[in-house]
Amino acid sequence: MNVRVGTSGGERPGCARTEAHRRARSHRGAGPKAERRAGLFLVLGICATVLAGCASRPGPDVLIPSRVEAPGAVPRTILVATTRTRDPRPGTLFTGERSDKLDFATVTLTVPPTHKPGAIEYPKQAPGNPNTEMVVHEAVYRDTEAAFLDDLNAQLSRLPKGERRVFVFVHGYNTQFSEALLRLTQMAHDANATAVPILFTWASRGKTEDYVYDNNSATAARDSLERTLTLVNQSKADQVTIMAHSMGNWVTVEALRQMKIAGTMLPPNRVGNVILAAPDIDVDVFKSQLKRFGTPQRPFIVMVSHDDKALGISDFLAGNKQRLGNYSNDKDLVALGAIVVDLTSMKSEGDGLNHGKFAQLAGLGPKIRDQVMNQAQSDGGKLPGTVSVGEIQITGLSRAVGPPAE
């Protein structure tokens, strides 16, 4: 049974270099367990306080559907696969608690004609104003895998054969369902993407202090992401691109690793790009994971920023082990078979922790592709090893096969 929902970023940015980050750095090398445990709660507590005071978040009823149409508003349909439990409260759809099964939904929204690239225009008051805000118009639960697959194939059938692409997004830590949903909507809109957007959303409570809970939820979601990708593989899709952000990278790489071991990996000719944005993964763990994949036809694209303060805090929580997303040796990652997109020099818009820069790239895809292909043409058709597009530096392109996928 499909239930129509009568509903009434990702990871949250900060506002300058946080006191939590400064104190986390001062605790590096702490010896006794008690001191480290105290440091853990200190960092989480201060971080929660700082973030609460400097960034707005959507309210609990932000997804209440609106029947108002706005001239110039652009519709977007997002398919949802999730390990969250359903939320009976109006305007919420899913909670941050874990479900014991994979669940589905289909949500239709509009992006306002006044939209600014990279921004999410949250409704200030339910049900929202479609002239100036991102507004939900319809949200429907899907009770079965077959219903999810039917919706996916219906969306794909609207595209020409050979151009039926899917874009799967996996959000990170401290992310409410509504934040993940609207972040994917923003990226799909800014990229002017024709690919069908699928949100895989795991059970994050959307609270800074629940880092450990979120981490365990991400680990528990590996099998469900694997199942979601298997369903996508059964669809009419010609190509599948996967993007994960922060802690969502742990879910993603682990699910892909499981599929590789089981021999159920997506066929190479159907894989677009696997994009790891600001990955909250131990560098040593990632290296061991990458060895399992060997040399893929399309290398993983790793987006890093050496000034990512959120991952600096994560370094501390992980026992001073550097995270992949702020790893400073781009050439080392390229040697492992990755393409590195270095965003260090890019100014972060409204994100004092420099952790959400990836979302600003959505509208730059054509510019980056043109720059790469122009440089390749001037070099006899050979892809360049390194190319700079404004403040963005891309290293390892010579390992890619064919032009960059959407």
Side-chain angles (χ1 to χ4, degrees):
M1 178 178 68
N2 297 323
V3 182
R4 192 171 303 278
V5 184
T7 48
S8 167
E11 298 198 9
R12 194 170 170 200
C15 51
R17 191 173 183 88
T18 65
E19 176 68 9
H21 182 264
R22 184 188 68 77
R23 297 194 185 191
R25 291 292 186 188
S26 71
H27 276 80
R28 290 192 183 279
K33 287 185 177 180
E35 182 179 352
R36 182 162 296 279
R37 189 178 296 111
L40 167 64
F41 288 113
L42 175 65
V43 169
L44 292 179
I46 295 177
C47 192
T49 301
V50 171
L51 291 178
C54 60
S56 60
R57 301 191 80 163
D61 56 357
V62 70
L63 301 182
I64 289 179
S66 170
R67 296 183 180 181
V68 177
E69 300 293 336
V74 180
R76 292 283 174 184
T77 297
I78 308 293
L79 304 187
V80 177
T82 182
T83 58
R84 297 173 185 259
T85 59
R86 295 184 182 185
D87 195 326
R89 295 175 299 172
T92 307
L93 207 61
F94 291 102
T95 74
E97 299 304 308
R98 302 169 193 153
S99 173
D100 58 0
K101 65 172 185 173
L102 183 61
D103 204 356
F104 306 97
T106 299
V107 184
T108 301
L109 314 89
T110 56
V111 178
T114 56
H115 171 73
K116 295 181 179 179
I120 298 177
E121 290 86 5
Y122 291 118
K124 299 179 179 64
Q125 183 177 355
N129 180 356
N131 290 287
T132 57
E133 298 164 336
M134 292 183 180
V135 172
V136 169
H137 291 277
E138 184 179 59
V140 182
Y141 288 127
R142 298 302 191 197
D143 290 336
T144 65
E145 293 181 349
F148 169 79
L149 198 54
D150 285 347
D151 279 1
L152 175 55
N153 282 328
Q155 294 293 319
L156 289 168
S157 294
R158 299 177 182 179
L159 302 172
K161 289 184 178 180
E163 299 179 20
R164 294 173 175 172
R165 301 184 180 93
V166 169
F167 181 86
V168 180
F169 176 60
V170 186
H171 63 79
Y173 146 75
N174 186 22
T175 303
Q176 300 171 7
F177 172 75
S178 58
E179 291 172 314
L181 179 71
L182 296 181
R183 174 58 73 195
L184 177 53
T185 302
Q186 170 261 313
M187 290 192 295
H189 181 81
D190 288 356
N192 195 25
T194 57
V196 178
I198 296 177
L199 171 64
F200 179 82
T201 172
W202 47 277
S204 166
R205 281 180 173 162
K207 297 179 180 179
T208 310
E209 62 269 26
D210 279 326
Y211 184 91
V212 176
Y213 171 87
D214 276 18
N215 186 265
N216 290 332
S217 292
T219 300
R222 294 174 296 184
D223 291 350
S224 292
L225 176 55
E226 179 180 357
R227 182 58 189 163
T228 300
L229 294 176
T230 299
L231 289 172
V232 172
N233 192 37
Q234 295 170 4
S235 75
K236 298 177 181 178
D238 296 313
Q239 188 182 83
V240 182
T241 286
I242 305 166
M243 170 181 264
H245 179 231
S246 197
M247 193 179 285
N249 286 277
W250 170 247
V251 190
T252 301
V253 179
E254 279 292 286
L256 293 176
R257 180 177 178 273
Q258 289 179 181
M259 296 177 77
K260 183 72 173 181
I261 293 172
T264 57
M265 189 68 178
L266 298 170
N269 64 329
R270 298 187 77 187
V271 178
N273 287 316
V274 177
I275 306 166
L276 311 181
D280 189 359
I281 304 177
D282 185 300
V283 170
D284 295 334
V285 172
F286 178 70
K287 289 179 179 179
S288 70
Q289 291 170 323
L290 209 57
K291 289 178 181 177
R292 170 58 63 176
F293 290 94
T295 304
Q297 186 175 22
R298 287 189 183 275
F300 287 0
I301 297 175
V302 182
M303 294 185 177
V304 305
S305 187
H306 307 153
D307 61 351
D308 190 322
K309 300 180 183 72
L311 290 181
I313 295 173
S314 187
D315 288 350
F316 167 74
L317 297 178
N320 303 330
K321 296 299 293 184
Q322 192 168 24
R323 315 317 282 169
L324 178 62
N326 62 1
Y327 191 47
S328 56
N329 191 336
D330 295 352
K331 292 182 179 179
D332 189 25
L333 296 181
V334 170
L336 291 170
I339 294 174
V340 179
V341 179
D342 194 329
L343 307 179
T344 304
S345 298
M346 172 185 277
K347 181 181 179 182
S348 184
E349 299 293 339
D351 174 13
L353 294 178
N354 301 321
H355 191 52
K357 295 181 182 180
F358 76 102
Q360 299 171 213
L361 296 186
L364 297 179
K367 181 178 180 180
I368 294 173
R369 268 196 302 275
D370 290 346
Q371 180 81 11
V372 170
M373 301 316 295
N374 288 340
Q375 191 163 331
Q377 289 175 1
S378 65
D379 195 20
K382 182 180 178 181
L383 286 173
T386 301
V387 63
S388 295
V389 183
E391 299 171 322
I392 306 164
Q393 180 170 296
I394 307 173
T395 306
L397 277 173
S398 56
R399 293 181 176 274
V401 178
E406 287 188 357

